[in-house]
């Protein structure tokens, strides 16, 4: 892997594959030593970008990453990213995007990662109850303190990306330099607005779940027994085959698998390479649980899909369409709380 891409307008060069660490810890690989082996292999292959979050296995992922980098002495070689927003305790202020929580969360992440600074600190989800100026003001102070180098958002809808950019300019605050949206062959909704908006503001895009939570690994096929996974239990709306949207995903996967075979690639390679071909995408986050998973995804960086293959993909899954809205990653509270839709 010799290609490196500039993250937005930062001048920071990152590998087109970003090693996602969500599966390190009790959610997936529970051995720190095996997680370190996977991290070392990714770095040896040219990956210089690692993404985690405080909420992944309630801090274990950050600890595993920190231990691995300390053991190998490669912290300075890595662009290290993490996130905050998710609940890290029972208290009402142990989550969200407030100044109080962000300050506490970043100190906790620095400790778990065993580092003095975080290269990219991202807000994991929008927090409708917190003004964006509050969030950006706290993050700006952390940048000025040297604890954080760059700021990003994750799974923000397009209008909130715009709101954050305007607030930063209006108030003289540090801005988000990148967005981390869900993007895959089965979840293309961000093509309609998020990716164009991010590009228009000179933001990088680090896309998560290019394998659609395992749907594009080849394990989900018609006529086969569906695999068991922890994610399926935690996120049933994305995997329950009683749902019509998931049946449509399975139909699309069958056609995409045929296309991959006919084009001389694995389904994994087709899926990851597809996301990397979008001009707004800087890196695709791969989240292996095993060394085998990692090896199957590393080869995707050398695959360049031709327009003929991309045209056939468009015929299978319409551009800008997410087949199951459960894969969109964030649902506006107005859709679930009727009081937010009805005038009293």
């Amino acid at each position: 892997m010799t290609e490196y891409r500039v993250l937005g307008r930062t001048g920071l060069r990152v590998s087109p594959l970003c090693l996602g660490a969500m599966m390190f810890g009790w959610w997936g690989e529970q051995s720190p030593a095996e997680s370190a082996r996977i991290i070392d292999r990714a770095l040896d292959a040219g990956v210089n970008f690692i993404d985690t979050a405080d909420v992944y296995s309630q801090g274990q992922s950050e600890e595993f990453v920190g231990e691995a980098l300390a053991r190998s002495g490669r912290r300075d070689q890595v662009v290290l990213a993490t996130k905050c927003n998710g609940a890290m305790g029972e208290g009402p202020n142990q989550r969200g995007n407030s100044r109080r929580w962000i300050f506490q969360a970043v100190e906790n992440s620095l400790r778990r990662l065993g580092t003095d600074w975080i290269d990219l600190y991202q807000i994991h989800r929008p927090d409708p109850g917190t003004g964006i100026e509050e969030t950006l003001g706290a993050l700006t102070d952390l940048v000025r303190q040297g604890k954080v180098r760059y700021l990003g958002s994750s799974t923000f809808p397009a209008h909130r990306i715009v709101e954050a950019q305007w607030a930063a300019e209006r108030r003289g605050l540090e801005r988000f330099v990148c967005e981390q949206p869900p993007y895959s062959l089965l979840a293309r909704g961000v093509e309609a607005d998020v990716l164009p908006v991010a590009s228009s503001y000179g933001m990088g895009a680090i896309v998560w779940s290019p394998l659609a939570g395992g749907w594009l690994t080849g394990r989900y096929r018609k006529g086969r027994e569906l695999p068991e996974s922890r994610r399926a239990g935690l996120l049933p709306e994305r995997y329950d085959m009683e749902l019509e949207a998931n049946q449509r995903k399975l139909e699309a996967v069958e056609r995409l698998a045929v296309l991959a075979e006919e084009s001389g690639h694995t389904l994994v390679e087709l899926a990851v390479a597809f996301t990397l071909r979008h001009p707004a995408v800087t890196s695709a986050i791969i989240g292996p649980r095993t060394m085998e998973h990692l090896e199957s995804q590393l080869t995707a960086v050398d695959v360049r899909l031709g327009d003929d293959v991309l045209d056939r993909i468009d015929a299978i899954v319409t551009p800008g369409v997410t087949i199951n809205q459960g894969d969109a990653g964030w649902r506006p509270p107005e859709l679930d709380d009727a009081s937010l839709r009805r005038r009293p």
Side-chain angles (χ1 to χ4, degrees):
M1 189 183 304
T2 57
E3 176 196 10
Y4 292 91
R5 300 179 176 185
V6 178
L7 183 64
R9 295 197 296 254
T10 66
L12 190 67
R13 296 184 180 275
V14 297
S15 48
L17 296 182
C18 173
L19 180 64
M22 188 179 79
M23 300 307 293
F24 299 154
W26 63 263
W27 270 18
E29 177 49 64
Q30 299 183 37
S31 165
E34 184 60 19
S35 297
R37 199 167 74 90
I38 294 170
I39 291 170
D40 287 342
R41 172 66 183 111
L43 299 184
D44 289 342
V47 173
N48 76 336
F49 196 8
I50 297 178
D51 177 78
T52 183
D54 57 1
V55 76
Y56 295 163
S57 296
Q58 288 294 288
Q60 252 191 345
S61 172
E62 289 184 325
E63 291 172 355
F64 283 15
V65 170
E67 291 170 13
L69 294 179
R71 187 180 301 115
S72 67
R74 297 165 109 172
R75 169 64 185 97
D76 288 348
Q77 301 175 24
V78 170
V79 176
L80 185 56
T82 191
K83 303 181 282 292
C84 77
N85 166 269
M88 291 296 289
E90 297 297 325
N93 292 311
Q94 291 179 291
R95 67 195 73 192
N97 300 342
S98 70
R99 168 178 287 268
R100 185 184 193 275
W101 176 239
I102 288 172
F103 270 48
Q104 184 176 345
V106 80
E107 294 295 342
N108 293 341
S109 288
L110 287 167
R111 184 186 68 255
R112 287 190 291 260
L113 290 165
T115 185
D116 294 327
W117 82 97
I118 295 164
D119 293 294
L120 175 63
Y121 197 61
Q122 301 155 102
I123 299 300
H124 211 158
R125 293 291 189 275
D127 178 359
T130 305
I132 191 62
E133 292 90 350
E134 163 95 357
T135 299
L136 290 175
L139 294 171
T140 297
D141 287 344
L142 291 170
V143 171
R144 292 171 180 170
Q145 292 169 15
K147 295 177 180 179
V148 171
R149 299 288 189 261
Y150 302 99
L151 308 175
S153 56
S154 177
T155 321
F156 272 44
H159 71 278
R160 290 194 179 273
I161 294 173
V162 173
E163 179 189 21
Q165 293 292 318
W166 284 7
E169 181 176 1
R170 184 172 64 248
R171 298 287 297 275
L173 301 171
E174 293 288 328
R175 71 185 195 98
F176 292 140
V177 303
C178 58
E179 159 63 15
Q180 186 182 128
Y183 185 42
S184 74
L185 289 165
L186 304 180
R188 302 183 62 177
V190 295
E191 292 175 335
D193 48 18
V194 168
L195 291 179
V197 165
S199 183
S200 71
Y201 281 100
M203 301 170 69
I206 312 158
V207 299
W208 60 266
S209 202
L211 297 181
W215 279 83
L216 297 169
T217 62
R219 299 174 67 205
Y220 290 80
R221 299 293 300 275
K222 280 190 172 181
R224 296 183 187 175
E225 186 175 349
L226 295 177
E228 294 183 3
S229 73
R230 185 182 295 271
R231 278 184 295 189
L234 293 172
L235 303 166
E237 69 278 5
R238 301 186 191 180
Y239 299 92
D240 184 355
M241 294 310 298
E242 296 296 319
L243 298 179
E244 189 269 339
N246 289 331
Q247 287 292 333
R248 286 189 283 118
K249 282 164 61 173
L250 193 60
E251 293 282 351
V253 168
E254 285 298 307
R255 297 174 65 188
L256 291 166
V258 171
L259 173 57
E261 184 176 356
E262 291 177 352
S263 59
H265 306 299
T266 67
L267 183 56
V268 167
E269 289 172 336
L270 181 81
V272 177
F274 165 79
T275 65
L276 292 175
R277 187 71 196 277
H278 195 290
V281 172
T282 309
S283 293
I285 299 174
I286 56 173
R289 181 177 57 81
T290 67
M291 186 67 76
E292 181 183 8
H293 293 166
L294 175 65
E295 296 291 353
S296 71
Q297 296 170 58
L298 287 175
T299 55
V301 75
D302 298 317
V303 173
R304 183 172 176 83
L305 302 178
D307 287 343
D308 57 333
V309 174
L310 294 172
D311 288 343
R312 291 180 64 184
I313 289 172
D314 289 349
I316 296 170
V317 182
T318 304
V321 170
T322 293
I323 296 175
N324 180 349
Q325 286 303 309
D327 294 322
W330 184 74
R331 185 174 169 86
E334 290 82 1
L335 301 183
D336 297 314
D337 185 346
S339 69
L340 299 177
R341 303 191 306 271
R342 300 170 185 174
R343 187 185 296 275

